[in-house]
Amino acid sequence: MCKVAELRVVCLPASTGLVVRSTCVTTITPPGTSQHFNHSNHPSSVWWNIGVQLKPYSKRVWCIVCVLQPKPENAITVAVSSRVLFNMDTEQQISQQKGMEAYLKYQMEHEVEPFVPGPAFPFVKALEAVNTQLRVLYPGSEELFDVVLMTNNHATVGIRLINSINHHKLSVERFCMTGGNSPIGYLKAYHTNLYLSANSTKVIEALEEGIAAATIFRPEKAVEVSETQLRVAFDGDAVLFSDESERIFKTQEKLFNNKFKNESFLLSFLNRFLESLGKLQKKFYAKDQRMECPIRTYLVTARSAASSGTRALKTLRSWGLETDEALFLAGAPKGPMLAKIKPHIFFDDQMFHIEGAAELGTVAAHVPYGIAKTFY
């Protein structure tokens, strides 16, 4: 039994072939409409059995799902700053040019105006899309993505942030507003698996605390990405693995000449997040949903397959992550490949690749970890 925060109508492809028990008394909403059932409409003591009721309309399946707030220790927690979730360029400029009081006054005067989406917005929406399907396949499970808004904004700005989240129908329930202080100290308390920010200094602080983190860069042009499938692309050296092979590559130019006999790389922090993705993928595979899995991962590396392909793929396999696609480019630029993939996010440790990806419309996340940041 789990306490329900919200009941939501969702529409899924009929091809999913779901067989789900019906334990909630619910109302099916016809196609073309949507409806939310807030828990506030019911006594606070109401508890619901978790389940869904299905009814087909044409080629779609409409159902009521119970939206649960997972316990932090059971969830895959992604903390995002307000400046990557929303576009706050105007507000940031006011803060820098006119000071904090003018910034807070502006926010209060415009608190009924929702922020427009920022670079991490599609990524967050994709996480929620995965959650929707997980709740249908595994009613009551708390192995879900949990997004936390982590910001050093004052609580005064919280009203506009809450209004914006409600306006865009985001399922972000956990907030951390630190009133000018760094929020990094709260990341572990929120059981954070991944932290995304526009502030590279905070990202480095998070990495020093042992938390996977990356600096988000806004793409130079808008590109439509999937609304139903989460696509995560990542480089290998220093991002997924340790920077040991990157160090060898930078200093000796060829990985063939390295002295390491072990066929697996040392780990970096990001592997913990990707390992969690692998676990969720397997939950879909267990329900015979491999081809319809809403999570797809891509290894995109400048290395050649001959020099490091076997080690990279074996390491990923040992973590339980079945990479869907692996692209070994042998020095070719990554931007055009990423433009084809259209990932929600691409992790890399070298700004050269970050800039190339952003130029062609990819939301790029810089991981300032290891030797690459020294050579750049």
Side-chain angles (χ1 to χ4, degrees):
M1 301 286 282
C2 300
K3 198 168 185 178
V4 175
E6 180 183 25
L7 294 176
R8 179 175 298 173
V9 177
V10 298
C11 182
L12 299 173
S15 60
T16 54
L18 300 174
V19 179
V20 190
R21 61 189 177 88
S22 174
T23 56
C24 296
V25 178
T26 62
T27 302
I28 300 298
T29 302
T33 62
S34 63
Q35 185 175 0
H36 284 70
F37 299 83
N38 293 322
H39 182 259
S40 58
N41 296 335
H42 305 280
S44 59
S45 60
V46 172
W47 291 72
W48 299 73
N49 289 315
I50 303 308
V52 299
Q53 185 174 6
L54 302 179
K55 186 175 181 179
Y57 287 90
S58 184
K59 295 182 179 180
R60 309 291 288 181
V61 173
W62 289 78
C63 60
I64 300 290
V65 298
C66 299
V67 179
L68 309 176
Q69 194 62 38
K71 295 178 181 177
E73 60 270 23
N74 298 330
I76 302 169
T77 302
V78 178
V80 296
S81 74
S82 56
R83 286 204 294 135
V84 299
L85 183 59
F86 298 116
N87 186 332
M88 300 179 66
D89 288 351
T90 299
E91 292 76 10
Q92 183 73 4
Q93 189 175 17
I94 292 173
S95 174
Q96 293 174 346
Q97 295 180 356
K98 299 183 179 180
M100 181 57 64
E101 295 308 314
Y103 168 80
L104 294 176
K105 180 182 178 181
Y106 180 89
Q107 293 283 31
M108 287 187 288
E109 291 174 347
H110 295 79
E111 62 186 17
V112 297
E113 301 175 14
F115 292 112
V116 298
F121 186 93
F123 176 63
V124 170
K125 291 291 288 184
L127 297 180
E128 293 183 357
V130 174
N131 279 353
T132 297
Q133 296 199 40
L134 282 170
R135 287 183 174 113
V136 174
L137 291 173
Y138 295 91
S141 173
E142 292 191 338
E143 287 187 278
L144 302 165
F145 292 109
D146 187 20
V147 178
V148 177
L149 184 63
M150 189 74 60
T151 174
N152 63 353
N153 267 298
H154 290 257
T156 302
V157 185
I159 295 176
R160 191 178 183 193
L161 289 170
I162 292 171
N163 288 340
S164 299
I165 284 173
N166 290 335
H167 172 80
H168 293 291
K169 295 180 173 60
L170 295 175
S171 298
V172 179
E173 301 291 340
R174 304 191 206 277
F175 279 52
C176 180
M177 294 173 280
T178 60
N181 293 328
S182 174
I184 301 304
Y186 291 96
L187 291 175
K188 287 187 176 179
Y190 277 88
H191 298 268
T192 302
N193 297 90
L194 176 66
Y195 172 58
L196 302 175
S197 174
N199 188 317
S200 59
T201 301
K202 290 188 177 67
V203 167
I204 292 174
E205 291 176 7
L207 287 169
E208 290 173 346
E209 292 294 320
I211 296 171
T215 307
I216 294 290
F217 286 81
R218 183 178 304 154
E220 296 183 13
K221 63 179 182 180
V223 173
E224 289 188 10
V225 294
S226 174
E227 296 181 356
T228 58
Q229 184 181 66
L230 171 65
R231 297 179 184 177
V232 178
F234 48 87
D235 177 42
D237 297 317
V239 175
L240 183 58
F241 312 116
S242 78
D243 71 327
E244 188 166 4
S245 56
E246 183 76 11
R247 187 178 302 275
I248 296 167
F249 186 84
K250 292 285 189 179
T251 55
Q252 298 184 11
E253 295 186 350
K254 289 187 178 181
L255 281 168
F256 283 119
N257 299 327
N258 76 69
K259 299 179 181 179
F260 298 96
K261 298 180 181 179
N262 194 340
E263 285 195 330
S264 66
F265 296 96
L266 299 176
L267 310 186
S268 73
F269 302 129
L270 192 61
N271 84 291
R272 301 168 191 169
F273 172 70
L274 294 172
E275 192 173 13
S276 298
L277 289 185
K279 290 180 180 179
L280 292 186
Q281 282 180 315
K282 283 182 170 55
K283 296 188 74 169
F284 288 97
Y285 301 164
K287 296 289 186 177
D288 198 25
Q289 298 286 309
R290 179 179 289 269
M291 300 306 297
E292 294 80 21
C293 181
I295 302 173
R296 193 164 183 86
T297 55
Y298 304 79
L299 174 64
V300 183
T301 175
R303 303 285 172 261
S304 69
S307 64
S308 54
T310 299
R311 291 194 299 166
L313 295 176
K314 281 188 175 181
T315 300
L316 291 170
R317 184 194 299 169
S318 70
W319 296 344
L321 178 64
E322 296 185 26
T323 307
D324 294 292
E325 299 187 29
L327 285 73
F328 295 90
L329 304 182
K334 299 178 182 180
M337 295 297 179
L338 293 168
K340 178 67 175 178
I341 295 170
K342 296 183 179 180
H344 293 90
I345 193 167
F346 166 61
F347 295 96
D348 203 301
D349 69 314
Q350 298 188 58
M351 285 302 301
F352 172 79
H353 295 305
I354 294 292
E355 292 167 353
E359 182 179 355
L360 295 180
T362 297
V363 176
H366 182 233
V367 182
Y369 175 78
I371 194 169
K373 67 177 180 180
T374 303
F375 276 80
Y376 176 72

